[in-house]
Amino acid sequence: MKGTNLAVVHSASGLPQNMELARQAVWAKTTQFLQPNLGKLYSSFYPAANPWGIGLNVRFGVLLGRETPEQFVRILCAATEAQNLSIDFHTEALLNRVKPEQTRQVGDTIVCPVTLDGTDKELEAHSIWHMAIAAGAFMPDCGIYYMEQGQAVAAPELRKEIARSIGNYAVCVVRLEAMV
């Protein structure tokens, strides 16, 4: 991974009415969120100018749903699709490392216990990625992160709420550069 885009979704509650000040506030919150992992998970981050092929001409990569609802929705859809692709990538890689004889059925669910003892680093990495996402952790390739909820994967109710009231949300789109 050379770099990846990330859409950080914020509530617009409490943001200034002035668009420029609102953008600055969202950028400040996003920067504060990303700063602790700088140098650990990515080498740098900055506002994305063309995330997922969508040209953004806004300061700090911040879209306010109340100002640009169509572009806001396009970014959320692209970020969700990027997240789905990451989930598929990590799932496929995980399943390729599992031996069929390890699986068993419990009710309607197929269970595959995985031993993380350090002998299979790839299996371990993809397993940890899934556990982290399920626990609400931020992973650089998660595509989208919901700041107030503290999670990368939104519950269907949250997605419906955002769709019903786009004006109550903002998104900051950043480019995370990979560690070299």
Side-chain angles (χ1 to χ4, degrees):
M1 172 181 84
K2 292 180 181 178
T4 187
N5 296 309
L6 173 70
V8 182
V9 179
H10 297 266
S11 168
S13 176
L15 288 178
Q17 288 300 310
N18 177 287
M19 299 297 185
E20 185 59 28
L21 293 176
R23 279 192 186 80
Q24 289 175 14
V26 171
W27 173 248
K29 288 180 188 179
T30 301
T31 299
Q32 186 176 27
F33 169 67
L34 294 173
Q35 195 73 37
N37 290 313
L38 185 60
K40 297 175 191 168
L41 299 177
Y42 35 86
S43 63
S44 63
F45 65 88
Y46 49 88
N50 195 30
W52 305 291
I54 301 168
L56 292 183
N57 191 18
V58 291
R59 288 185 36 94
F60 306 114
V62 175
L63 291 169
L64 303 169
R66 67 184 182 218
E67 182 182 41
T68 56
E70 299 85 11
Q71 197 170 34
F72 181 90
V73 169
R74 284 185 65 209
I75 287 292
L76 287 189
C77 289
T80 301
E81 177 61 23
Q83 183 176 76
N84 290 338
L85 291 172
S86 283
I87 291 169
D88 290 348
F89 168 77
H90 289 286
T91 299
E92 183 178 331
L94 183 64
L95 292 175
N96 285 336
R97 309 297 294 184
V98 173
K99 297 173 184 80
E101 62 270 12
Q102 291 175 291
T103 62
R104 66 176 189 264
Q105 190 159 348
V106 178
D108 292 339
T109 304
I110 296 175
V111 176
C112 180
V114 174
T115 303
L116 303 179
D117 59 5
T119 58
D120 188 336
K121 295 294 185 190
E122 188 175 337
L123 175 68
E124 193 168 306
H126 294 295
S127 297
I128 289 170
W129 188 91
H130 280 287
M131 289 185 286
I133 290 293
F138 161 70
M139 301 300 282
D141 64 343
C142 66
I144 190 167
Y145 191 82
Y146 299 88
M147 183 66 86
E148 277 72 23
Q149 292 74 23
Q151 60 192 32
V153 180
E157 298 80 31
L158 176 59
R159 286 192 304 238
K160 287 178 186 172
E161 167 58 26
I162 292 171
R164 275 193 305 266
S165 55
I166 290 170
N168 293 334
Y169 292 90
V171 64
C172 181
V173 190
V174 295
R175 177 79 180 168
L176 303 172
E177 292 298 337
M179 299 293 294
V180 187

